[in-house]
Amino acid sequence: AATTGVVMKAGPGRTENGIPIPMTVKVADRVMWSKFAGVVLTLEDKTYLLMRETDLIAVLGAEQ
């Protein structure tokens, strides 16, 4: 089963070798990822999921 959410931040992209590449997702994009992708992080009582762009299944469009 896949899960969806909204991109809150997008840092600089890079390859597995550390070579910088531009990100294709941007803040406010609604995205889909597989159930076990990413790392859960809780900051100031808010929960976030950190993941690589390559873990995304789809970009579904921008949030209005």
Side-chain angles (χ1 to χ4, degrees):
T3 306
T4 64
V6 177
V7 176
M8 303 300 291
K9 293 275 186 182
R14 61 187 158 130
T15 66
E16 294 291 326
N17 297 329
I19 300 168
I21 57 171
M23 297 286 287
T24 58
V25 296
K26 54 195 170 306
V27 173
D29 279 353
R30 178 162 285 283
V31 294
M32 179 184 292
W33 60 89
S34 64
K35 183 177 180 179
F36 299 106
V39 175
V40 175
L41 175 67
T42 303
L43 293 171
E44 298 178 4
D45 296 326
K46 291 188 179 183
T47 302
Y48 301 95
L49 185 62
L50 302 173
M51 70 178 66
R52 294 185 171 146
E53 188 175 50
T54 56
D55 290 335
L56 298 176
I57 295 170
V59 178
L60 305 173
E63 281 291 292
Q64 301 295 322

